[in-house]
Amino acid sequence: MLDVFTNTSMPFYKFGDLVFLEKIDTSSWIKFISERFNATGKEIQPKDIQLITTLADNHPYYVQQLSQQAWLRTEKNCNDNIIFEAHTSIIEQISLLFTTITESLTTNQLNLLRAIIAQETALSSERVISTYRLTSSANVTRSRKSLIQKDILDEKAGKITFQDPMYYHWLKNEYFKNQIL
């Protein structure tokens, strides 16, 4: 998406100011979500809203979607079981999309994602390259850049994160779950 506004060959090049939005902090979500539940005669505890924001990594779209799915499943009092059920349902609904995305990736890109999910930080180290079969440090760099261009990963201040927290969860708990290195 950034390319549309920053690439000189694109029609919206320098169309306006670029504004990078930060994630909404958990305390703001606690106030907002509890008000929305209370307005409809339903209750949710701050710890359960914190669970929602954690599962959604404070990603506004997913916090709202997960909150809505939890609200729909709640008769009077929301709890962590309802939230986990809603979370699983959301991931099941978009798992076909995740499968399609994953099938478009190279083996090296998948191996890099596996290393990132395993919380490896020295991605170009000999140990990580060997353990995750990443072939070379140059390949790590190419795969990282490609995954950023595909909007799968994001890099801020040298820290690599997943743009989609549900995709991260699906990869970690479904796709890579039973795969052995």
Side-chain angles (χ1 to χ4, degrees):
M1 189 69 177
L2 183 62
D3 194 50
V4 171
F5 300 103
T6 59
N7 185 332
T8 56
S9 66
M10 300 300 270
F12 291 107
Y13 174 68
K14 289 195 175 186
F15 185 74
D17 294 333
L18 292 177
V19 178
F20 294 97
L21 301 175
E22 296 297 321
K23 292 179 180 177
I24 299 170
D25 64 284
T26 300
S27 60
S28 297
W29 282 120
I30 289 173
K31 182 179 184 307
F32 176 75
I33 294 169
S34 61
E35 285 174 357
R36 302 291 17 127
F37 267 72
N38 291 338
T40 60
K42 298 179 182 188
E43 293 183 20
I44 185 168
Q45 298 299 312
K47 70 176 180 59
D48 293 319
I49 298 171
Q50 191 163 11
L51 175 60
I52 289 171
T53 60
T54 299
L55 290 171
D57 191 28
N58 285 63
H59 188 290
Y61 173 78
Y62 284 126
V63 169
Q64 291 183 70
Q65 188 178 26
L66 187 51
S67 297
Q68 179 197 37
Q69 291 299 311
W71 179 84
L72 289 169
R73 289 170 168 75
T74 300
E75 288 184 35
K76 180 70 178 152
N77 295 306
C78 188
N79 60 48
D80 60 348
N81 289 332
I82 291 170
I83 294 165
F84 284 123
E85 179 184 310
H87 184 253
T88 299
S89 175
I90 290 169
I91 290 176
E92 287 173 353
Q93 289 173 25
I94 51 182
S95 66
L96 183 58
L97 171 65
F98 294 155
T99 300
T100 302
I101 291 168
T102 305
E103 287 175 349
S104 75
L105 302 176
T106 67
T107 300
N108 284 318
Q109 290 168 344
L110 288 169
N111 290 343
L112 180 60
L113 291 175
R114 184 181 308 176
I116 293 167
I117 287 170
Q119 300 180 343
E120 298 286 358
T121 53
L123 297 173
S124 292
S125 71
E126 284 184 38
R127 182 189 63 77
V128 171
I129 289 171
S130 173
T131 302
Y132 295 92
R133 299 185 200 122
L134 295 168
T135 34
S136 69
S137 61
N139 195 306
V140 169
T141 301
R142 276 192 302 278
S143 292
R144 181 183 52 78
K145 283 181 181 176
S146 178
L147 290 166
I148 290 168
Q149 287 175 339
K150 292 179 182 210
D151 291 328
I152 292 171
L153 297 178
D154 199 11
E155 187 172 21
K156 289 183 187 169
K159 185 175 191 250
I160 297 174
T161 58
F162 277 78
Q163 284 197 16
D164 187 326
M166 299 301 175
Y167 184 52
Y168 168 86
H169 181 87
W170 180 83
L171 280 173
K172 181 178 181 180
N173 298 297
E174 299 297 325
Y175 188 78
F176 291 137
K177 182 178 180 179
N178 295 318
Q179 291 186 7
I180 300 171
L181 288 174

